[in-house]
Amino acid sequence: MHHSSASNRDAKRKSIEMLDRVGIPQPDQRINDFPHQFSGGMRQRAMIAMGLINDPSLLIADEPTTALDVTVQAQILDLLRELQREFNSAVIIITHDLGVIAEMADDVLVMYAGRCVEYGTAKEILTHPEMPYTWGLLSSVPDVTASTDARLIPIPGTPPSLLNPPTGCAFHPRCAHREKVPGDLCFTELPELSAAKGNAAHVKRCHLPDPDAIYRADVLPEIAPDLVKDNR
Ligand code: SF4
């Protein structure tokens, strides 16, 4: 009602329609329920209904599938995709889940310590990533086809404090590839965003002189094949 001239009655009618549209059963009764009376998936559907009710040109979905089991996760992603087409809204999905990105995104912006560290089309980022933090994210995705004694490869350390960020590249305390950069650039100089090899639409923030060679030799074998199937 704050964003439109809808009356009380119109707002309620539209809310019931939206709950129905996002798949809440008996929406005319459920509209009176409290959040704790909904399951996690239904709460997420209600949030999507709230986000879309005033026809926004941009919907920001912050971790829309966190804490949902995989079946409900897939339903929520299907719903987001369907509604995106129907409402013609752009959608920004904020997520740590590269599986979600592989399924949903056209473009990907990878952030670390409050800065963009890599940006490009989803295909480019998933098949030719050029930044060690992106490599770490991709390597730490579980691979269902791996043997049962295969261990996950986590990114070592913890995210830095933004009150006292590291000097140079903010990722350097956790980066396994910093020794491949000549001199002490990683420790002293913040890399600028620069075009990745042969593709001006793909940018990365890293001092490595030939990231593609390191990626193919050292990183690609660690990544779940489903994520990067076009590149093997
Ligand atoms: S700039 Fe250096 S520390 Fe930062 S990601 Fe690249 S190699 Fe690693």
Side-chain angles (χ1 to χ4, degrees):
M1 290 174 70
H2 182 73
H3 292 286
S4 70
S5 53
S7 65
N8 235 324
R9 176 195 286 250
D10 285 349
K12 186 166 182 185
R13 181 189 47 76
K14 200 168 172 196
S15 302
I16 292 171
E17 279 170 16
M18 273 311 288
L19 286 178
D20 188 39
R21 179 62 198 86
V22 298
I24 303 283
Q26 300 170 308
D28 48 335
Q29 292 166 35
R30 301 303 306 255
I31 196 167
N32 297 315
D33 284 356
F34 288 102
H36 71 266
Q37 292 170 291
F38 287 89
S39 66
M42 287 167 92
R43 282 200 291 271
Q44 220 43 319
R45 287 172 188 272
M47 289 288 289
I48 293 170
M50 287 162 71
L52 287 173
I53 198 162
N54 281 317
D55 301 323
S57 45
L58 172 66
L59 177 72
I60 302 177
D62 191 352
E63 299 281 7
T65 56
T66 302
L68 300 178
D69 65 56
V70 281
T71 315
V72 180
Q73 198 175 89
Q75 291 167 359
I76 293 295
L77 293 179
D78 283 347
L79 178 66
L80 267 177
R81 224 185 334 240
E82 238 174 68
L83 294 174
Q84 186 273 324
R85 276 187 225 119
E86 185 178 324
F87 286 74
N88 205 22
S89 299
V91 179
I92 294 179
I93 296 181
I94 301 169
T95 180
H96 287 85
D97 187 335
L98 290 190
V100 169
I101 288 169
E103 206 176 307
M104 299 287 289
D106 297 316
D107 300 297
V108 178
L109 188 150
V110 183
M111 294 200 69
Y112 188 77
R115 284 200 170 85
C116 168
V117 293
E118 189 156 10
Y119 173 78
T121 63
K123 184 164 186 222
E124 187 70 14
I125 297 293
L126 290 170
T127 58
H128 298 96
E130 296 225 344
M131 203 280 173
Y133 178 58
T134 315
W135 297 346
L137 292 174
L138 287 163
S139 304
S140 55
V141 174
D143 176 6
V144 288
T145 64
S147 72
T148 48
D149 56 357
R151 299 186 67 85
L152 276 181
I153 305 169
I155 301 173
T158 52
S161 158
L162 296 187
L163 293 175
N164 186 21
T167 55
C169 169
F171 189 57
H172 86 252
R174 310 174 71 188
C175 182
H177 303 279
R178 64 190 182 202
E179 305 304 336
K180 295 165 190 152
V181 173
D184 58 0
L185 275 182
C186 294
F187 301 81
T188 56
E189 263 188 47
L190 174 69
E192 295 293 331
L193 279 176
S194 59
K197 200 163 108 193
N199 188 345
H202 175 182
V203 294
K204 44 90 201 232
R205 190 187 291 281
C206 180
H207 292 305
L208 280 172
D210 190 1
D212 195 49
I214 299 170
Y215 171 70
R216 289 182 173 283
D218 301 341
V219 185
L220 191 54
E222 297 173 349
I223 298 176
D226 272 3
L227 277 178
V228 293
K229 45 183 174 276
D230 292 348
N231 200 28
R232 290 184 192 250

